[in-house]
Amino acid sequence: MKRRNRVAFFNILSTVLLRGISIFTAPLFTRLLGNSGYGVTQIYNTWVSVIAIVFALQTQGTLANARTEYDEGEQLGYQSSAMTLSTLAYLVCSGLVLCFLSPISNALKLSRFLVVLMLLQGFGTFCLNFLNTKFVYEFKAGRNMVLSLMVALVTLVLSVVLILQLPREINYLGRIGAISATYGLLGIPVCIWILVKGKTFFHKKYWKFCIALAIPAAFYSLSDLVLGHCDKVMLQQLVDEATVGCYAAALNFSGIMYTLFAALNNSWCPFFFEDMKQGNREGLREKTENFLELYTVLSVGFVLLAREVYRVYVGKDFWSSTMLIPVFVSSYYLNFLCNFPVNFETYHKKTKVVAAITIVSSLINVGLNYLLIRRMGMAGAAVATLASHCLQLTLHWLYARFCLGGREYPFGLKLCGKYAVVFAAVAVVCVCASQLPILRWGAGAFIGVWELWRIKKRKALI
């Protein structure tokens, strides 16, 4: 129990630091950059995420399966082999981008200099994510925390210094340059360290195993990215960058819930694979119940308090997007519920199914965005994302429950449904009671104290 709590704590803290940089620093950077400058940085970061997924083949997503497939003595060799595969693929794709730099720059509405910075940052992002995943499944949570803290501090300090040195109209380059330099300069040594540690650059068995899982996982991750970020790109194309800035500020603020989910999932997921491998269904159900309860309480508390906190979080220029926050948090909650069937499918190596469902949901999201943005602006983009996540959850649950797991599927509708109903009810009440802050904050305080008592009683976070 102590080991489980210690691993959970450090994994949560490190993930919050690594993924939460943009969230924690948004109050500062929205004020320094303004609507348009902040919008440019958000579009840039979206394309960096695409590059990191597509060019590097998302091989870090296979590390969990490799731990169940190969003995402990083979893990370092597999990791270095997977890193070699990603590096070669990334170099080839980057070369193609450089050959067609001008047309790509024009299509993205970003300068050629920013496109080159994307390539550097994308590789660094992949390498740090690879190391983060490696540490998670090796239960080396303390190392993850040190890495995350270093990235967060260096990026923050360097960004502020560079922004203050540049003219207002181009000071967004300071933010972009700082992140690109940090991830690029840290990512390359990480890549070399993993290659040297494993000393296996090509192994037919490893590459065959890795490619079979990584390619569908890359399509899944890319489609998931489209599902979550195509709204910003389409707002840029159909409206303007200032609207992107307002929309992204509310999305990043709501992204606190995604960061908490990712952090908790990094603690829950290793134990899920371990319990599934050992057939420990009772232990898995207990951890799942705790996970569902904790995240539901956090989501409920967030929507109860969000309106007033957001107006402190950003300047008045961004307040028009306050109404979108309950919709965004609802989307993240559906994404959280989707995690259970997706992990079950991943454990059974059904990554092609995961990818197919996510691709379908993403294509529908693009279509809905096109229709709704033209009619409702940024509110239409938020609604389109919510509807697409609802479809994604439905398809994954139906497949995992009726096609893959049958009665053995451990995350039944009764288990997850009761928490979903509670969250949905509170989200609706929050929209209706937007002008009753005392009621909402009182309810939030009561729920928070209750959950702390529950955690103390069970002596475990999840």
Side-chain angles (χ1 to χ4, degrees):
M1 183 68 73
K2 287 183 178 180
R3 171 176 173 263
R4 184 173 122 196
N5 287 335
R6 185 175 66 254
V7 170
F9 173 77
F10 282 115
N11 272 334
I12 290 169
L13 184 59
S14 62
T15 306
V16 166
L17 286 171
L18 192 59
R19 294 177 180 266
I21 294 173
S22 62
I23 295 171
F24 301 139
T25 58
L28 172 65
F29 292 117
T30 52
R31 289 169 171 83
L32 286 175
L33 301 176
N35 283 353
S36 296
Y38 191 69
V40 172
T41 62
Q42 294 303 301
I43 294 297
Y44 169 87
N45 285 328
T46 297
W47 288 115
V48 167
S49 299
V50 170
I51 288 172
I53 290 170
V54 175
F55 290 12
L57 304 181
Q58 200 71 357
T59 57
Q60 77 270 21
T62 69
L63 297 184
N65 294 98
R67 294 199 69 81
T68 61
E69 184 76 13
Y70 303 117
D71 296 334
E72 187 63 35
E74 294 185 82
Q75 294 303 313
L76 291 178
Y78 177 82
Q79 290 164 11
S80 63
S81 184
M83 178 61 80
T84 303
L85 177 62
S86 288
T87 302
L88 291 174
Y90 200 95
L91 289 173
V92 171
C93 293
S94 297
L96 291 173
V97 169
L98 294 175
C99 289
F100 300 97
L101 188 57
S102 291
I104 289 174
S105 171
N106 293 333
L108 301 184
K109 294 185 179 180
L110 296 171
S111 70
R112 288 179 291 179
F113 175 67
L114 290 183
V115 175
V116 173
L117 285 183
M118 282 181 197
L119 298 177
L120 175 63
Q121 185 179 332
F123 184 70
T125 299
F126 160 73
C127 291
L128 291 179
N129 287 342
F130 193 101
L131 186 62
N132 179 273
T133 305
K134 168 183 164 68
F135 285 158
V136 164
Y137 287 98
E138 291 176 355
F139 299 101
K140 295 176 180 177
R143 295 186 184 183
N144 248 349
M145 189 187 71
V146 172
L147 172 68
S148 302
L149 184 61
M150 181 171 61
V151 171
L153 291 177
V154 171
T155 303
L156 175 60
V157 173
L158 190 56
S159 292
V160 173
V161 170
L162 292 178
I163 287 172
L164 294 177
Q165 297 299 314
L166 294 170
R168 173 78 175 181
E169 59 272 14
I170 60 167
N171 64 357
Y172 61 85
L173 292 175
R175 176 63 171 156
I176 290 172
I179 299 174
S180 178
T182 302
Y183 276 83
L185 295 176
L186 289 176
I188 293 171
V190 166
C191 174
I192 295 172
W193 179 72
I194 290 174
L195 293 175
V196 171
K197 194 86 172 170
K199 298 183 178 67
T200 305
F201 308 118
F202 172 76
H203 193 295
K204 184 178 180 181
K205 178 179 70 173
Y206 294 158
W207 276 32
K208 184 178 180 181
F209 177 84
C210 185
I211 290 172
L213 294 176
I215 299 299
F219 276 104
Y220 161 70
S221 297
L222 179 61
S223 301
D224 201 42
L225 185 70
V226 171
L227 191 57
H229 295 277
C230 79
D231 41 10
K232 288 185 284 189
V233 175
M234 294 185 73
L235 280 170
Q236 179 204 24
Q237 299 291 329
L238 298 175
V239 191
D240 55 40
E241 283 155 352
T243 303
V244 175
C246 284
Y247 183 88
L251 183 63
N252 282 344
F253 176 73
S254 306
I256 292 171
M257 293 314 304
Y258 179 78
T259 299
L260 289 173
F261 155 64
L264 292 169
N265 190 53
N266 270 355
S267 298
W268 178 83
C269 214
F271 294 112
F272 162 75
F273 278 89
E274 193 174 79
D275 287 338
M276 287 291 292
K277 185 177 180 180
Q278 296 174 359
N280 182 17
R281 294 306 177 93
E282 189 60 36
L284 175 59
R285 182 179 177 83
E286 178 188 348
K287 296 184 188 76
T288 302
E289 184 94 36
N290 294 342
F291 191 11
L292 281 161
E293 178 189 299
L294 177 59
Y295 191 77
T296 301
V297 168
L298 290 172
S299 299
V300 164
F302 189 88
V303 294
L304 285 170
L305 313 181
R307 182 179 178 84
E308 289 72 30
V309 176
Y310 181 64
R311 296 197 170 199
V312 176
Y313 182 78
V314 295
K316 288 186 178 180
D317 291 344
F318 295 85
W319 286 6
S320 60
S321 56
T322 305
M323 62 179 180
L324 303 180
I325 293 172
V327 183
F328 289 145
V329 178
S330 298
S331 293
Y332 287 129
Y333 192 81
L334 290 175
N335 195 37
F336 157 71
L337 292 178
C338 194
N339 174 66
F340 296 106
V342 166
N343 277 324
F344 187 75
E345 291 159 358
T346 302
Y347 176 80
H348 289 284
K349 301 177 183 177
K350 301 297 182 181
T351 51
K352 292 180 181 178
V353 174
V354 174
I357 291 174
T358 311
I359 289 170
V360 169
S361 304
S362 300
L363 292 174
I364 290 175
N365 187 37
V366 172
L368 287 175
N369 267 299
Y370 182 77
L371 294 173
L372 296 180
I373 287 174
R374 295 169 72 91
R375 296 186 179 186
M376 302 166 60
M378 59 183 176
V383 171
T385 301
L386 177 64
S388 302
H389 277 297
C390 186
L391 172 66
Q392 183 186 35
L393 171 62
T394 302
L395 294 177
H396 276 298
W397 188 83
L398 288 173
Y399 176 78
R401 171 65 178 83
F402 295 105
C403 300
L404 183 59
R407 294 185 178 180
E408 296 300 314
Y409 180 63
F411 312 118
L413 186 61
K414 184 178 180 181
L415 176 64
C416 298
K418 60 183 179 182
Y419 292 101
V421 169
V422 170
F423 171 76
V426 173
V428 171
V429 168
C430 283
V431 173
C432 297
S434 61
Q435 303 303 319
L436 299 173
I438 295 177
L439 175 64
R440 288 186 285 102
W441 280 73
F446 174 80
I447 293 169
V449 171
W450 177 80
E451 181 60 20
L452 288 173
W453 173 77
R454 290 277 297 166
I455 292 171
K456 182 179 179 180
K457 183 179 178 182
R458 66 178 177 249
K459 298 179 180 178
L461 191 62
I462 56 177

